[in-house]
């Protein structure tokens, strides 16, 4: 396991799914944490799991689309933890499933606000701290949807493509200052978000839907949030000291085959 002993980490969307699993993995690797998200009781529940690893952990409720919330969170992290060595820019929403020609305009804006503006604001407010420190590692939550079109998910898909642009641009801007910026591309990962998408796409037939998404990966199953969390902890750590600007799939081989002629 990668070591994060002595490091301070900020996780957005830490109350559930991949953010919760990553918070626990970062804590277990030795990091001190501040968890940020919209849902305070959920953050509290994650904090209990993190504390059980022996890690120091705090929570802060807020919205990643609000610059003042994200800035205040970065200030609190610095005050409480003394540094920000790791940012997992993870908060995201899936939006509705609809053909592009019917996609509701307000929903498009809502998804882009959380998934793109939210990640931009994390970078915008945390990078100055890391640049002053001349060290840090940021991991942005991309997706296999960062690399492929997925019918019915125009806003989500566009937003996850944008994560690659933000990741690569940020990495190129800050690499010479000791800061790394990477993306982790989850495949079909068993969380509330995947189950909500599957339910919408199949009209509620979860058994058939989960079997369909499991078949997307050559490994023939969905992934767990913990499997993504392990890669996040590695990218966060100095073990990944020469890994920068990459989009790292955790997808059971899905991107190796998606879109190939069969
Ligand atoms: N589950 C998958 O299959 C999958 C695959 C690839 C990528 N991802 C990405 O992983 C990330 C986590 O998703 P998940 O699957 O754990 O789903 P999830 O719904 O369990 O987690 C999303 C978290 O983000 C928080 N959040 C949403 N909007 C917010 C806002 N405006 N401000 C602050 N927090 C907010 C939620 O409260 C929640 O805790 C997302 O960015 C998602 O797009 C998920």
């Amino acid at each position: 396991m990668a070591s994060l002993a002595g490091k301070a980490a900020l996780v957005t969307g830490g109350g559930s799914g991949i953010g919760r699993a990553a918070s626990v993995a970062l804590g277990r690797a030795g990091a001190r944490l501040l968890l940020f998200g919209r849902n305070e009781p959920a953050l509290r529940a994650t904090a209990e799991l993190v504390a059980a690893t022996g890690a120091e952990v705090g929570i802060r409720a807020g919205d990643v689309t609000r610059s003042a919330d994200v800035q205040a969170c970065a200030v609190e992290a610095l005050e409480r933890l003394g540094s920000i060595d790791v940012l997992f820019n993870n908060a995201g929403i899936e939006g509705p499933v609809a053909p592009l020609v019917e996609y509701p305009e307000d929903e498009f804006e809502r998804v882009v606000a959380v998934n793109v503006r939210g990640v931009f604001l994390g970078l915008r407010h945390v990078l100055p701290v890391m640049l002053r420190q001349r060290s840090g590692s940021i991991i942005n939550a991309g997706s296999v949807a960062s690399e492929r079109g997925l019918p019915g998910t125009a806003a989500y898909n566009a937003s996850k493509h944008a994560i690659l642009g933000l990741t690569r641009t940020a990495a190129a801007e800050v690499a010479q200052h000791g800061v790394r910026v990477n993306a982790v591309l989850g495949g079909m990962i068993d969380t509330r978000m995947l189950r909500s998408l599957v339910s919408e796409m199949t009209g509620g037939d979860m058994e058939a839907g989960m079997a369909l998404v499991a078949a997307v990966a050559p490994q023939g199953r969905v992934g767990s949030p913990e499997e993504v969390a392990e890669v996040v902890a590695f990218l966060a750590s100095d073990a990944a000291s020469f890994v920068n600007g990459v989009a790292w799939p955790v997808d059971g081989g899905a991107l190796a085959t998606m879109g190939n002629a069969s």
Side-chain angles (χ1 to χ4, degrees):
M1 188 206 285
S3 172
L4 292 167
K7 306 241 189 221
L10 181 54
V11 177
T12 73
S16 60
I18 294 167
R20 172 171 289 176
S23 299
V24 172
L26 294 170
R28 198 178 289 129
R32 307 182 312 283
L33 283 111
L34 183 64
L35 314 178
F36 179 79
R38 273 185 320 190
N39 182 336
E40 200 168 334
L43 290 177
R44 232 178 279 121
T46 300
E48 277 178 29
L49 296 172
V50 173
T53 70
E56 181 188 329
V57 58
I59 64 168
R60 184 179 179 97
D63 184 334
V64 292
T65 68
R66 295 209 188 115
S67 182
D69 286 10
V70 180
Q71 186 172 29
C73 176
V75 168
E76 180 174 344
L78 203 50
E79 279 172 9
R80 281 175 89 122
L81 308 171
S83 61
I84 308 177
D85 305 298
V86 176
L87 167 65
F88 184 26
N89 237 336
N90 161 76
I93 57 173
E94 66 275 24
V97 175
L100 197 146
V101 292
E102 293 166 16
Y103 206 92
E105 290 178 31
D106 56 340
E107 290 289 350
F108 188 90
E109 272 151 30
R110 192 172 69 94
V111 172
V112 168
V114 177
N115 295 5
V116 183
R117 181 178 158 80
V119 168
F120 163 71
L121 289 174
L123 291 162
R124 177 72 183 77
H125 291 303
V126 171
L127 273 176
V129 176
M130 292 182 169
L131 290 171
R132 276 198 301 277
Q133 294 170 175
R134 297 196 69 79
S135 71
S137 172
I138 296 180
I139 301 99
N140 296 324
S143 161
V144 289
S146 300
E147 301 272 19
R148 299 286 189 278
L150 295 178
T153 66
Y156 184 77
N157 198 268
S159 74
K160 291 299 175 182
H161 273 65
I163 294 300
L164 297 189
L166 283 170
T167 300
R168 290 167 179 155
T169 298
E173 287 186 12
V174 301
Q176 73 269 36
H177 303 294
V179 181
R180 297 180 295 106
V181 186
N182 293 293
V184 65
L185 311 186
M188 305 298 152
I189 308 300
D190 197 355
T191 66
R192 181 214 62 79
M193 181 182 289
L194 181 69
R195 286 179 177 266
S196 159
L197 283 168
V198 164
S199 172
E200 262 203 82
M201 283 172 169
T202 61
D205 186 348
M206 289 306 291
E207 203 178 324
M210 291 304 285
L212 270 178
V213 292
V216 170
Q219 283 183 228
R221 63 172 176 86
V222 295
S224 70
E226 290 73 20
E227 288 176 303
V228 181
E230 288 302 323
V231 175
V232 171
F234 165 69
L235 291 173
S237 76
D238 293 340
S241 54
F242 206 49
V243 182
N244 212 343
V246 309
W248 190 307
V250 186
D251 67 349
L255 283 175
T257 51
M258 275 169 93
N260 286 354
S262 53

